[in-house]
């Protein structure tokens, strides 16, 4: 099954790196958005109200959570 995976993260974030590595290990294409570079903090806050940590991840336009939730979703 092909997923449209979007990862919103920032530099020096171990879980952001792990999320990207997980996608790469499974040959799943993803789009990575770096906060402050690709998306500003206002847009991030609009997309993920009440979320203060990264990564924040969406699959096929649906919010799933962070690295742990991505790992669980891809393990199914």
């Amino acid at each position: 099954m092909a997923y449209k995976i979007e990862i919103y993260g920032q530099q020096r974030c171990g879980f952001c790196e792990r999320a990207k590595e997980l996608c790469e290990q499974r040959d799943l294409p993803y789009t990575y958005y770096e906060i402050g570079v690709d998306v500003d903090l206002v847009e991030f806050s609009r997309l993920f109200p009440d979320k203060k940590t990264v990564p924040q991840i969406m699959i096929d336009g649906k919010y799933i959570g962070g690295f742990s939730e991505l790992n669980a979703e891809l393990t199914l």
Side-chain angles (χ1 to χ4, degrees):
M1 170 183 278
Y3 292 109
K4 179 183 179 204
I5 300 171
E6 298 172 287
I7 302 170
Y8 293 79
Q10 63 188 31
Q11 291 183 5
R12 295 180 293 279
C13 167
F15 284 108
C16 298
E17 292 302 316
R18 289 177 65 189
K20 292 189 291 184
E21 289 169 4
L22 181 62
C23 291
E24 290 165 6
Q25 289 169 354
R26 296 176 185 231
D27 292 322
L28 296 171
Y30 65 92
T31 304
Y32 179 76
Y33 299 100
E34 186 174 331
I35 299 166
V37 176
D38 304 306
V39 62
D40 65 23
L41 194 52
V42 172
E43 180 67 8
F44 178 80
S45 296
R46 185 188 70 74
L47 290 169
F48 307 104
D50 303 322
K51 303 300 179 195
K52 306 292 185 208
T53 62
V54 288
Q56 296 299 324
I57 303 169
M58 297 179 75
I59 296 180
D60 295 331
K62 177 183 167 208
Y63 174 72
I64 62 153
F67 170 76
S68 297
E69 291 81 9
L70 175 66
N71 190 35
E73 181 78 19
L74 297 181
T75 302
L76 296 176

